[in-house]
Amino acid sequence: MGPFDILSALPEKFKVAQQSGELLFFPSETHGYHDEDTGVEFQVRLCTVLQKKPVEPTDLLPKEERADITSVPKDPFEPPYVPQLHVGDLYLEDTDYGTKSEYVVLLNKFSVVPHHFLLVTKEFRPQSSPLLPEELVQTYLLLLAARQANTHYIAFYNCGKNSGASQPHKHIQFIEVGSDGPPVERLAKKATLEVAGKPFAISSLPYANHVFRLPPLSFNSTPVELNQALFPPFLSLLDLVISTVRHDPNYPTGFPSYNVIFTLEHIHMIPRRHEAYTIEKTQERIDINSLGFAGMLLAKSEAELESIKEEGIGKILRGVGLESVHELQVAGTALEVP
């Protein structure tokens, strides 16, 4: 199959998987939230049915053991795949370098939004490792295929034990969004670059964030051309994440954790300190992954929704992220349009 075949198959595959009971869809409603501290229009998705979500065997393990592949009884991303959740296989051949990478595309078993799918490496690669050039290319080809199918998707990657990653087998997730993208992408589009081809930060966000604006790319681009357009920007953002971590004397030991958000126009990368935030008043735990930093949070109850609003989303994200030192790293690369 090719990327366009995957996107074309998604609606029917999702319907059949849900009817079979192998895919559990949890209806939700989206609430807009204007964060007074940042002036950002965030989204909070309320999904009360998630309180009744079945517990997977890996969910019963402590976080430290979930991050260790030797502690997990079965890798859910290893074959044999559940047929109803298996959308198809993808193969990316690079004739210039003589390499071939293989992936499986699976529907997310527990879906809050329709057609949520995963791009999973066929061979085991750790979720704590940076994305490879071929993984970036395959991700971008799927986003291009979605646009050709008149839908709009974002991709995201939770890297490391404090990023919100739930499985140790390398996987990139895709969800459908509106034509204007998630809240953080709307902010990135408003940024006026003084210097093209360099990372910039969205200064209205109260935490370290690094963004790169991509050049226009298409299906006519070869894998080598896509690689050259995607991998150097990814590395430059990763360098900034590592630099941000090094500026923090109290950062946890071990490999840095970070979130990556992909659109056709930008790559966003956010360094992480903590996996979850604890609401001061109620002591509720709010888990945050890449979607939180895309400006799309999840609440499992009306009470949790109100707690999130009262605490302030900017404060929550700042609590699990790091302080920005972007001006020390890259000066004068972007001015924001009010």
Side-chain angles (χ1 to χ4, degrees), residues 253-264:
T253 58
F255 293 110
S257 296
Y258 54 92
N259 295 120
V260 190
I261 304 160
F262 299 93
T263 71
L264 288 177

Side-chain angles (χ1 to χ4, degrees), residues 117-135:
F117 70 93
L118 316 174
L119 176 69
V120 182
T121 59
K122 277 211 167 180
E123 64 175 9
F124 176 80
R125 296 175 186 170
Q127 188 77 4
S128 57
S129 63
L131 293 172
L132 300 176
E134 61 266 26
E135 294 162 356

Side-chain angles (χ1 to χ4, degrees), residues 215-287:
L217 300 167
S218 72
F219 265 123
N220 295 326
S221 305
T222 67
V224 170
E225 291 170 336
L226 289 173
N227 182 358
Q228 292 171 345
L230 297 170
F231 193 53
F234 182 85
L235 284 181
S236 69
L237 295 176
L238 186 56
D239 285 343
L240 287 170
V241 164
I242 294 171
S243 172
T244 303
V245 166
R246 287 175 175 168
H247 275 84
D248 186 342
N250 300 314
Y251 191 81
T253 58
F255 293 110
S257 296
Y258 54 92
N259 295 120
V260 190
I261 304 160
F262 299 93
T263 71
L264 288 177
E265 291 80 23
H266 296 95
I267 302 175
H268 304 252
M269 197 175 294
I270 303 96
R272 293 290 300 274
R273 174 195 293 280
H274 301 297
E275 182 183 33
Y277 180 88
T278 301
I279 300 289
E280 292 180 10
K281 183 177 180 181
T282 64
Q283 292 300 297
E284 292 171 277
R285 173 189 167 100
I286 307 297
D287 293 307

Side-chain angles (χ1 to χ4, degrees), residues 137-308:
V137 171
Q138 190 64 80
T139 296
Y140 201 84
L141 287 172
L142 284 165
L143 294 177
L144 282 170
R147 185 65 57 88
Q148 281 199 353
N150 295 317
T151 57
H152 299 266
Y153 273 76
I154 63 168
F156 60 96
Y157 181 59
N158 304 317
C159 185
K161 65 180 182 180
N162 292 318
S163 68
S166 59
Q167 296 293 342
H169 189 138
K170 201 174 202 179
H171 63 285
I172 303 160
Q173 303 186 57
F174 295 75
I175 64 162
E176 191 171 353
V177 295
S179 59
D180 55 349
V184 73
E185 179 66 0
R186 296 196 288 271
L187 293 177
K189 288 178 179 178
K190 289 181 180 179
T192 300
L193 302 189
E194 290 186 340
V195 181
K198 293 206 177 272
F200 64 94
I202 301 172
S203 60
S204 60
L205 297 175
Y207 50 83
N209 67 95
H210 307 291
V211 192
F212 196 100
R213 181 166 296 165
L214 298 169
L217 300 167
S218 72
F219 265 123
N220 295 326
S221 305
T222 67
V224 170
E225 291 170 336
L226 289 173
N227 182 358
Q228 292 171 345
L230 297 170
F231 193 53
F234 182 85
L235 284 181
S236 69
L237 295 176
L238 186 56
D239 285 343
L240 287 170
V241 164
I242 294 171
S243 172
T244 303
V245 166
R246 287 175 175 168
H247 275 84
D248 186 342
N250 300 314
Y251 191 81
T253 58
F255 293 110
S257 296
Y258 54 92
N259 295 120
V260 190
I261 304 160
F262 299 93
T263 71
L264 288 177
E265 291 80 23
H266 296 95
I267 302 175
H268 304 252
M269 197 175 294
I270 303 96
R272 293 290 300 274
R273 174 195 293 280
H274 301 297
E275 182 183 33
Y277 180 88
T278 301
I279 300 289
E280 292 180 10
K281 183 177 180 181
T282 64
Q283 292 300 297
E284 292 171 277
R285 173 189 167 100
I286 307 297
D287 293 307
I288 303 291
N289 65 10
S290 294
L291 287 183
F293 286 98
M296 305 162 66
L297 282 79
L298 182 66
K300 301 182 184 68
S301 68
E302 292 277 1
E304 188 172 270
L305 173 64
E306 291 308 311
S307 294
I308 289 172

Side-chain angles (χ1 to χ4, degrees), residues 312-333:
I313 292 177
K315 183 179 180 181
I316 291 172
L317 296 179
R318 184 170 61 247
V320 296
L322 277 77
E323 182 180 352
S324 176
V325 290
H326 193 86
E327 289 189 6
L328 297 176
Q329 300 164 321
V330 181
T333 57

